[in-house]
């Protein structure tokens, strides 16, 4: 299955809004500007997504993934490499205990940040497109990418053979924090999403 | 852990109940409460009473849940449990905001509650954990100030980085999309749409946007401005405001609720418009709106600057093209004049007076031609279209060739010439024709400014490092003062010299030396002028880098005496002449016939092909610029169909593409105006070679 150019365009614009809000939230949290790259939208074989992610990110990651379900279901993931996670943790813990390792405090902070960002992101489905999605509890993991992907695909309610992957890279303007925001959807959900998008447009432009 | 035990240690040997000494609790500027292991409140300090309105007596013994909203931020209960297990947690204000809702102490802040940094720790008695202790720090003021400072710093950086990008870019309309995208994130907005004014149509057209699907973009793709002048007063009641207000409804139907529009304007001139929006009901502060307005202003300035740059470049290019076209048009009628005049000047059938008259015509037409050629050369050079045919050449031979061309002028002006070429190495990499042109220009200059009876010397020398050779042309002429020396290589600057007390202009366009300098520079050389002063002569020195002399001498093409072909072999020598300019064609035809070549002439590709189909030809002589095609195409066809060879004629001012003509099948390539001798030589080679 392939996305037409128009579909790709529409999805990119929609996600731009979502990622923009997430970046805005992160900016408010940290007090620094956050810059976002242009989101990339593509359909991959489910086995290909892992390797693609790995290429982008390298090996060890701190990730917060949040599953969502409803008419549209999938996972949204915040990915950081360990160094970035530590810096982000420091930025947000008021120098209470400047840790050099990923301790419990740091873990909590990252999970919380993930929660905020991913909600901001996925909020576009709910409050923009009016698709009622429910969110699972965000989960922090410190794992390599393939393992992460395994857990994402395993717990998805849909049988994933292909995934729509939307990802972008962001920088917090202190320069030391680089992360990725990723959304993975199964094909049935993608179809549904596209249908909802069409309807949303139709409702407006009457 | 350290903090907790400090607070709990009382005076040595104190009582068994491990409470914090009352006096400490009451003076510290923090909220402090303690609980037992069942999370019931066991102490509540003055600070807390003051801020919450709850007296200690109200809360002592009550469960923690009564005070702390446990459902808030998920893991609160967990933290107290962890404290009981011995861990300290810190809840930073940035993420958690507050633990218990207390009134804000920063009145300017929009946040209704006090921002708190909270530490939850085990309460120790010796080594034993007997409960929890919670310390609340009011960071409202600090956070508020820090937020303001951060925001300010970040916006300053946003402004300056936007400005930097706009200053550096040559395509601000593309850059602005990136800038607006990052501004959108910084301001917490969802989307933007930027429009540029299209001048003829007086419509604002969507140029860049973010957050709109393709269909939505279509919907808001343009809107018109009322047909008044585009005075930019975006305030209520102005014409622009009304138009934008109309468009805003369109955006509102797409769900964009909060909208902020800013004109892209320079002074009162409108260039475009940018609208930022949000799908949520959000508003941005006045200060933030000012920043957006400033950024819009920068973008407008950059757009305006680029537009003016393009206009200037276009105007300059138009001027250059006009000059080239004009020169070409001025040049073309001279071609037949020159051919006829020079041919007739040598025609034994005419009287000596007639031949002399033709000679004068030829010479003056030649002069005119040269002036125009100079003009064309200059435009070519300035367009970077001057092509060089670089070979290893003997500079001394080139000099001698240049000298040969001015021989008659020297004689007429009664000037003597001394040649003293003593540079031991004298081979350079260069275009022989162009270098000859340089020496010729310099020589003519010397001749022009040296009074009869004077002397011109050409010498060559080598520099000590043996890698550069210098040619000097020295004259005993009227010399130059400092200001003239300064301007000598400027284009169009002519010498105004006093002769016999009266200002006398020496004619010409003043381009020769300007062109010479450019040509010398294109050969990686230098040209300099020097004069001891007025009346004391001048010296021009041209320096060029040397190259290795080729071991096998480069044969100069030496023309034999041009003999006409045997009149009997008509088919063997029949020429197909293709030229669309009638006077030139007629003249060339006559010339060729007089030399014994049968000629069929054609004025277009089509007629040429028709003629070739009818008769057999030995040679094609073709112009490149033809009305219904080009000479290359024609030659290729003729070569493929009939195996014909050809000589190409290109007009002066057109690009000479030797590679292209060779590829098309031309065996020689001549530039108009073709002098008779050059043409004869080419025909000779074509027919008598191999």
């Amino acid at each position: 299955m392939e996305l037409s150019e128009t579909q790709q365009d529409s999805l990119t614009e929609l996600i731009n809004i979502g990622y923009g809000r997430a970046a805005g939230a992160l900016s408010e949290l940290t007090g620094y500007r956050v810059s976002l790259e242009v989101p990339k939208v593509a359909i991959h074989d489910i086995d290909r997504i892992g390797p693609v992610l790995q290429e982008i990110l390298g090996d060890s990651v701190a990730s917060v993934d949040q599953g969502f379900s409803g008419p549209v279901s999938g996972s949204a993931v915040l990915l950081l490499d360990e160094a970035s996670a530590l810096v982000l943790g420091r930025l947000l813990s008021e120098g209470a205990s400047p840790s050099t390792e990923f301790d419990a405090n740091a873990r909590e902070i990252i999970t919380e940040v993930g929660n905020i960002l991913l909600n901001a992101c996925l909020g576009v489905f709910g409050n923009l497109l009016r698709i009622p999605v429910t969110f699972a509890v965000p989960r922090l993991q410190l794992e390599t990418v393939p393992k992460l992907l395994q857990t994402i695909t395993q717990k998805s309610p849909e049988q994933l053979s292909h995934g729509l992957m939307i990802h972008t890279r962001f920088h917090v303007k202190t320069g030391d924090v680089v992360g990725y925001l990723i959304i993975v959807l199964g094909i049935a959900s993608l179809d549904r999403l596209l249908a909802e998008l069409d309807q949303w447009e139709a409702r407006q432009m009457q | 852990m350290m903090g907790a035990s400090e607070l709990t240690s009382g005076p040595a040997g104190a009582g068994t109940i491990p409470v914090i000494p009352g006096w400490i609790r009451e003076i510290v500027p923090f909220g402090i409460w303690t609980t037992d292991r069942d999370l019931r409140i066991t102490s509540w300090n003055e600070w807390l009473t003051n801020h919450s309105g709850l007296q200690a007596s109200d809360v002592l013994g009550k469960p923690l849940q009564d005070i702390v909203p446990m459902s808030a931020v998920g893991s609160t209960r967990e933290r107290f449990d962890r404290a009981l297990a011995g861990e300290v947690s810190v809840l930073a204000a940035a993420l958690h905001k507050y633990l218990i809702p207390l009134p804000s102490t920063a009145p300017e802040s929009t946040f209704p509650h006090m921002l708190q940094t909270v530490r939850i720790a085990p309460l120790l008695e010796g080594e034993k954990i007997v409960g929890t202790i919670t310390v609340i720090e009011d960071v409202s003021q600090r956070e508020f100030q820090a937020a303001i400072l951060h925001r300010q710093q970040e916006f300053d950086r946003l402004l300056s980085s936007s400005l930097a990008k706009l200053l550096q870019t040559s395509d601000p309309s593309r850059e602005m999309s990136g800038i607006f995208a990052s501004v959108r994130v910084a301001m917490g907005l969802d989307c933007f749409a930027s429009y540029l004014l299209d001048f003829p149509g007086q419509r604002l057209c969507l140029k860049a946007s973010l957050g709109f699907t393709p269909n939505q973009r279509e919907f808001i793709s343009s809107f018109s401005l009322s047909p008044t002048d585009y005075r930019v007063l975006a305030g209520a009641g102005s014409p622009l405001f009304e138009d934008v207000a109309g468009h805003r409804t369109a955006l509102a139907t797409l769900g964009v609720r909060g909208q902020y529009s800013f004109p892209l304007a320079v002074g009162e001139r409108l260039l475009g418009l940018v609208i930022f929006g949000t799908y949520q009901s959000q508003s941005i502060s006045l200060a933030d709106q000012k920043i957006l307005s400033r950024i819009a202003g920068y973008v407008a300035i950059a757009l305006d600057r680029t537009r003016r740059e393009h206009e200037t470049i276009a105007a300059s290019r138009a001027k250059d093209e006009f000059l080239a076209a004009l020169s070409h048009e001025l040049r073309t009628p001279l071609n037949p004049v020159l051919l006829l005049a020079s041919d007739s000047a040598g025609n034994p059938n005419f009287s000596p007076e007639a031949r002399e008259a033709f000679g004068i015509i030829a010479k003056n037409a030649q002069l005119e031609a040269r002036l125009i050629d100079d003009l064309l050369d200059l435009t070519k050079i300035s367009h970077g279209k001057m092509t060089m045919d670089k070979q290893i050449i003997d500079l001394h031979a080139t000099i001698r060739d240049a000298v040969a061309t001015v021989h008659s002028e020297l004689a007429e002006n009664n000037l003597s010439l001394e040649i003293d070429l003593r540079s031991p190495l004298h081979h350079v990499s260069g275009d022989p024709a162009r270098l000859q042109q340089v020496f010729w220009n310099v020589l003519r200059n010397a001749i022009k400014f040296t009074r009869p009876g004077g002397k011109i010397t050409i010498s060559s020398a080598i520099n000590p490092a043996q890698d550069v050779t210098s040619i000097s042309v020295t004259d005993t002429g009227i010399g130059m003062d400092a200001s003239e020396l300064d301007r000598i290589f400027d284009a169009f600057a002519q010498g105004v010299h006093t002769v016999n007390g009266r200002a006398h202009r020496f004619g010409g366009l003043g381009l020769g030396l300007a062109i010479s300098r450019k040509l010398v520079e294109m050969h990686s050389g230098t040209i300099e002028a020097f004069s001891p002063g007025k009346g004391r002569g001048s010296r021009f020195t041209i320096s060029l880098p040397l190259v290795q002399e080729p071991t096998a001498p480069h044969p100069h093409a030496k023309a034999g005496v041009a003999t006409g072909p045997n009149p009997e072999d008509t088919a063997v020598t029949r020429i197909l002449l293709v030229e669309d300019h009638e006077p030139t064609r007629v003249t060339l035809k006559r010339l060729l016939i007089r030399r014994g070549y049968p000629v069929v002439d054609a004025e277009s590709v089509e007629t040429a092909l028709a003629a070739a189909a009818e008769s057999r030809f030995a040679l094609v002589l073709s112009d490149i610029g033809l009305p219904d095609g080009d000479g290359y195409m024609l030659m290729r066809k003729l070569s493929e169909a009939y195996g014909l060879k050809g000589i190409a004629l290109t007009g002066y001012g057109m690009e000479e593409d030797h590679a292209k003509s060779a590829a098309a099948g031309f065996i020689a390539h001549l530039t108009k105006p073709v002098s008779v001798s050059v043409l004869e030589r080419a025909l000779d080679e074509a027919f008598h070679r191999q």
Side-chain angles (χ1 to χ4, degrees):
Chain A
M1 181 192 169
E2 257 187 48
L3 287 171
S4 75
E5 224 181 281
T6 318
Q7 288 172 329
Q8 195 149 18
D9 197 335
S10 297
L11 283 174
T12 308
E13 288 294 353
L14 185 70
I15 284 310
N16 261 327
I17 300 174
Y19 283 163
R21 289 185 186 171
L26 186 58
S27 187
E28 235 188 271
L29 278 179
T30 57
Y32 292 103
R33 258 186 315 141
V34 174
S35 72
L36 272 179
E37 297 182 9
V38 177
K40 299 200 194 13
V41 176
I43 295 188
H44 299 281
D45 261 354
I46 205 70
D47 325 301
R48 277 296 304 158
I49 293 192
V52 169
L53 273 179
Q54 196 142 21
E55 270 167 50
I56 298 170
L57 196 62
D59 281 312
S60 81
V61 286
S63 69
V64 178
D65 72 271
Q66 176 145 52
F68 57 95
S69 52
V72 174
S73 65
S75 278
V77 188
L78 165 69
L79 284 175
L80 298 165
D81 64 46
E82 207 171 307
S84 296
L86 283 173
V87 172
L88 194 56
R90 261 203 300 276
L91 277 178
L92 293 170
S93 63
E94 312 212 350
S97 52
S99 51
T100 46
E101 37 165 80
F102 214 55
D103 62 4
N105 263 324
R107 279 207 267 269
E108 258 165 19
I109 289 171
I110 297 300
T111 310
E112 199 43 51
V113 169
N115 192 24
I116 294 175
L117 296 193
L118 297 173
N119 272 325
C121 220
L122 295 173
V124 286
F125 293 152
N127 58 45
L128 203 59
L129 296 182
R130 310 280 167 83
I131 305 176
V133 286
T134 47
F135 301 117
V137 175
R139 225 166 31 132
L140 175 74
Q141 297 180 82
L142 298 170
E143 287 181 340
T144 60
V145 169
K147 281 214 74 188
L148 166 66
L149 197 62
Q150 214 176 35
T151 52
I152 293 176
T153 54
Q154 267 167 9
K155 71 179 175 126
S156 137
E158 208 181 301
Q159 263 299 64
L160 294 180
S161 64
H162 284 78
L164 172 78
M165 192 165 103
I166 306 172
H167 72 273
T168 186
R169 189 161 64 162
F170 64 85
H171 300 257
V172 177
K173 273 320 199 175
T174 61
D176 313 328
V177 179
V178 177
Y180 292 84
L181 287 168
I182 303 181
I183 297 177
V184 181
L185 290 177
I187 291 302
S189 290
L190 173 60
D191 282 338
R192 183 62 192 267
L193 177 60
L194 290 170
E196 291 287 343
L197 239 161
D198 284 338
Q199 275 195 29
W200 176 55
E201 288 178 354
R203 276 199 300 268
Q204 291 165 341
M205 296 186 293
Q206 262 145 17
Chain B
M1 286 293 197
M2 228 176 47
S5 39
E6 267 180 8
L7 284 169
T8 53
S9 66
T16 50
I17 302 169
V19 296
I20 302 151
W23 60 273
I24 294 185
R25 265 185 338 197
E26 300 318 317
I27 64 168
V28 295
F30 306 121
I32 302 180
W33 81 70
T34 56
T35 73
D36 58 18
R37 288 198 66 93
D38 297 320
L39 294 184
R40 283 175 205 278
I41 300 188
T42 51
S43 72
W44 182 262
N45 77 342
E46 189 74 24
W47 187 96
L48 283 171
T49 302
N50 289 338
H51 285 269
S52 70
L54 293 170
Q55 297 292 334
S57 49
D58 296 331
V59 295
L60 283 177
K62 296 262 171 56
L64 193 55
Q65 291 93 294
D66 286 2
I67 309 297
V68 178
M70 284 292 180
S71 57
V73 196
S75 55
T76 313
R77 173 68 206 228
E78 225 186 270
R79 292 179 193 275
F80 283 99
D81 289 339
R82 290 218 308 254
L84 289 173
E87 272 181 47
V88 179
S89 327
V90 180
L91 298 173
L95 274 178
H96 302 276
K97 304 290 184 228
Y98 60 81
L99 183 63
I100 58 174
L102 296 173
S104 167
T105 54
E108 315 89 28
S109 158
T110 50
F111 195 72
H113 297 289
M114 176 198 294
L115 287 171
Q116 302 156 11
T117 293
V118 180
R119 292 163 179 83
I120 303 172
L123 186 61
L124 296 175
E125 181 193 332
E127 294 290 315
K128 209 168 94 180
I129 299 173
V130 295
T132 68
I133 174 168
T134 305
V135 181
I136 298 187
E137 183 189 353
D138 176 4
V139 294
S140 306
Q141 276 290 338
R142 192 191 70 191
E143 285 294 304
F144 180 64
Q145 302 296 348
I148 292 180
L149 191 62
H150 269 137
R151 209 164 166 76
Q152 193 142 342
Q153 281 176 338
E154 288 308 314
F155 281 131
D156 278 345
R157 282 192 209 123
L158 186 64
L159 277 172
S160 56
S161 80
S162 306
L163 191 56
K165 283 194 199 127
L166 286 169
L167 282 176
Q168 287 165 8
T169 184
S170 55
D171 189 0
S173 55
R174 201 147 49 103
E175 199 65 53
M176 81 176 170
S177 127
I179 291 174
F180 289 149
S182 40
V183 164
R184 160 198 85 116
V185 168
M187 293 288 177
L189 297 166
D190 285 331
C191 53
F192 76 86
S194 62
Y195 295 82
L196 290 180
L197 186 64
D198 99 67
F199 282 98
Q202 316 303 19
R203 285 184 78 78
L204 283 172
C205 298
L206 186 67
K207 177 77 187 181
S209 71
L210 204 153
F212 295 105
T213 63
N215 286 337
Q216 290 170 334
R217 270 180 256 149
E218 192 55 48
F219 191 67
I220 56 167
S221 63
S222 73
F223 64 105
S224 58
L225 295 178
S226 47
T228 49
D229 49 334
Y230 303 98
R231 291 165 68 79
V232 182
L233 309 152
S238 78
L240 179 66
F241 177 79
E242 279 154 30
D243 293 318
V244 175
H247 190 62
R248 286 166 82 117
T249 334
L251 283 162
T253 61
L254 292 181
V256 182
R257 284 142 87 178
Q259 295 180 35
Y260 301 92
S261 35
F262 302 92
L264 300 172
V266 174
E268 286 183 341
R269 200 158 39 87
L270 184 68
L271 297 168
L273 185 79
V274 60
I275 305 181
F276 291 94
T278 171
Y279 289 99
Q280 300 166 318
S281 47
Q282 219 153 292
S283 62
I284 60 179
S285 69
L286 222 51
D288 287 355
Q289 287 182 50
K290 283 215 179 81
I291 293 178
L292 286 177
S293 170
R294 274 173 72 182
I295 293 180
Y298 294 159
V299 169
I301 292 175
L303 286 170
D304 191 46
R305 186 192 59 152
T306 305
R307 189 181 56 85
R308 279 185 288 129
E309 262 171 27
H310 285 158
E311 275 173 14
T312 308
I313 292 174
S316 165
R317 194 177 301 146
K319 194 178 58 156
D320 277 344
E321 280 167 7
F322 170 70
L323 208 57
L326 182 65
S327 311
H328 188 72
E329 290 308 310
L330 289 175
R331 203 66 180 67
T332 309
L334 285 177
N335 298 338
V337 168
L338 272 167
L339 269 179
L340 272 171
S342 58
D343 191 44
S344 305
N347 190 336
N349 297 327
F350 291 153
S351 71
E353 295 86 8
R355 273 183 283 155
E356 190 182 333
F358 278 119
I360 294 173
I361 294 173
K363 195 159 126 188
N364 282 280
Q366 185 74 296
L367 214 64
E368 177 90 22
R370 277 186 193 149
L371 286 174
I372 301 176
D373 291 347
D374 275 354
L375 206 56
L376 276 170
D377 268 351
L378 206 63
T379 60
K380 257 194 190 181
I381 291 176
S382 69
H383 270 146
K385 290 205 169 122
M386 170 75 66
T387 50
M388 294 268 171
D389 200 4
K390 282 200 179 156
Q391 317 157 13
I392 297 182
I393 57 175
D394 179 351
L395 205 56
H396 287 176
T398 307
I399 294 171
R400 284 186 233 276
D401 283 343
V403 167
T405 60
V406 299
H407 222 71
S408 44
E409 277 171 76
L410 283 166
E412 276 164 28
N413 287 295
N414 193 20
L415 296 168
S416 62
L417 176 72
E418 183 181 318
I419 302 184
D420 182 23
L421 304 174
R422 38 170 99 195
S423 175
L425 301 173
H426 46 89
H427 281 77
V428 300
S429 168
D431 183 320
R434 296 298 177 191
L435 284 177
Q436 192 174 325
Q437 185 180 359
V438 168
F439 293 122
W440 178 74
N441 268 319
V442 173
L443 279 169
R444 287 191 63 243
N445 199 70
I447 293 169
K448 191 150 111 176
F449 292 110
T450 306
R451 263 166 275 167
K455 176 166 161 192
I456 297 175
T457 314
I458 307 177
S459 57
S460 75
I462 193 169
N463 77 342
Q466 306 264 311
D467 58 355
V468 166
T469 183
S470 301
I471 319 293
S472 293
V473 177
T474 314
D475 65 58
T476 60
I478 59 176
M480 293 175 273
D481 62 25
S483 69
E484 284 163 342
L485 266 177
D486 233 5
R487 291 193 331 255
I488 190 74
F489 292 110
D490 291 347
F492 300 110
Q494 298 173 29
V496 177
H497 303 269
T498 48
V499 172
N500 300 331
R502 280 176 308 154
H504 180 81
R505 293 221 344 211
F506 278 77
L509 289 169
L511 294 180
L513 288 175
I515 293 173
S516 298
R517 177 158 72 167
K518 291 260 175 10
L519 289 174
V520 168
E521 281 168 7
M522 285 169 85
H523 284 85
S524 315
T526 59
I527 180 169
E528 284 161 338
F530 172 73
S531 169
K534 296 237 25 136
R536 291 156 72 194
S538 318
R539 182 177 76 237
F540 284 79
T541 306
I542 297 151
S543 303
L544 292 163
L546 289 163
V547 299
Q548 189 74 357
E549 180 178 340
T551 43
H554 220 76
H556 274 267
K558 258 314 171 210
V561 177
T563 53
N566 201 328
E568 272 93 67
D569 309 323
T570 44
V572 179
T573 59
R574 191 181 294 126
I575 295 178
L576 174 60
L577 171 65
V578 190
E579 165 65 68
D580 62 320
H581 184 241
E582 194 181 332
T584 307
R585 187 178 71 248
V586 163
T587 311
L588 271 174
K589 182 173 177 179
R590 194 178 301 154
L591 244 162
L592 291 168
I593 290 175
R594 277 208 325 116
R595 273 155 186 75
Y597 297 100
V599 174
V600 171
D601 59 331
E603 76 266 5
S604 66
V605 172
E606 196 185 327
T607 46
L609 287 172
E614 277 181 17
S615 333
R616 260 188 61 207
F617 290 98
L619 186 71
V620 176
L621 187 58
S622 174
D623 186 18
I624 296 298
L626 295 168
D628 60 342
D630 67 55
Y632 301 125
M633 178 184 78
L634 173 64
M635 190 66 233
R636 250 195 310 267
K637 287 202 169 123
L638 292 173
S639 163
E640 274 167 24
Y642 309 104
L644 279 177
K645 40 187 182 167
I647 298 177
L649 296 171
T650 44
Y652 201 96
M654 287 171 61
E655 284 169 52
E656 299 151 18
D657 198 332
H658 295 261
K660 204 168 169 184
S661 33
F666 287 114
I667 56 170
H669 186 120
L670 304 179
T671 313
K672 292 188 279 190
V674 182
S675 74
V676 174
S677 55
V678 170
L679 181 60
E680 282 180 341
R681 202 176 342 172
L683 288 171
D684 204 40
E685 272 191 33
F687 283 119
H688 293 213
R689 243 195 319 165
Q690 87 246 126

